[in-house]
């Protein structure tokens, strides 16, 4: 399983992460736990849920708009979304 460990390590080198499936009701939702842990460890995280304006006290983004926002921050904005 070195491929999974390597992919995980590479993924975690990025300091900005969008987490999909974050819920307004955090109990029992794995995405919320991932969101919280990444934030606790100093990552800049973006909650993605098309049905919510706010999650975990932070602004929440609906899918494609979140992608464009993150791409804008990183300087890699796609020409077509």
């Amino acid at each position: 399983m070195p491929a999974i460990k390597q992919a995980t390590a590479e993924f975690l080198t990025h300091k900005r992460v969008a987490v999909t499936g974050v819920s307004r009701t955090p109990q029992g939702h794995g995405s919320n736990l991932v969101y919280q842990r990444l934030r606790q460890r100093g990552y800049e995280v973006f909650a993605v849920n098309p049905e919510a304006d706010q999650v975990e006290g932070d602004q929440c983004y609906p899918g494609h708009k979140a992608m464009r926002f993150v791409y804008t921050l990183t300087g890699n904005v796609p020409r077509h979304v």
Side-chain angles (χ1 to χ4, degrees):
M1 291 206 146
I4 292 174
K5 288 183 181 181
Q6 182 180 358
T8 302
E10 183 179 326
F11 176 80
L12 292 174
T13 64
H14 303 282
K15 292 300 178 183
R16 291 183 177 136
V17 179
V19 179
T20 61
V22 181
S23 175
R24 290 175 278 197
T25 54
Q27 284 81 11
H29 292 278
S31 294
N32 286 65
L33 182 59
V34 169
Y35 183 83
Q36 293 167 1
R37 294 280 167 85
L38 288 170
R39 188 170 57 181
Q40 290 168 356
R41 288 180 171 92
Y43 289 85
E44 186 176 4
V45 291
F46 302 92
V48 178
N49 181 329
E51 303 297 322
D53 293 327
Q54 193 177 61
V55 171
E56 300 284 336
D58 298 328
Q59 182 177 355
C60 192
Y61 299 90
H64 70 283
K65 291 181 182 179
M67 296 291 289
R68 180 165 285 288
F69 177 73
V70 172
Y71 283 136
T72 300
L73 288 176
T74 63
N76 297 317
V77 179
R79 294 189 186 273
H80 302 286
V81 176

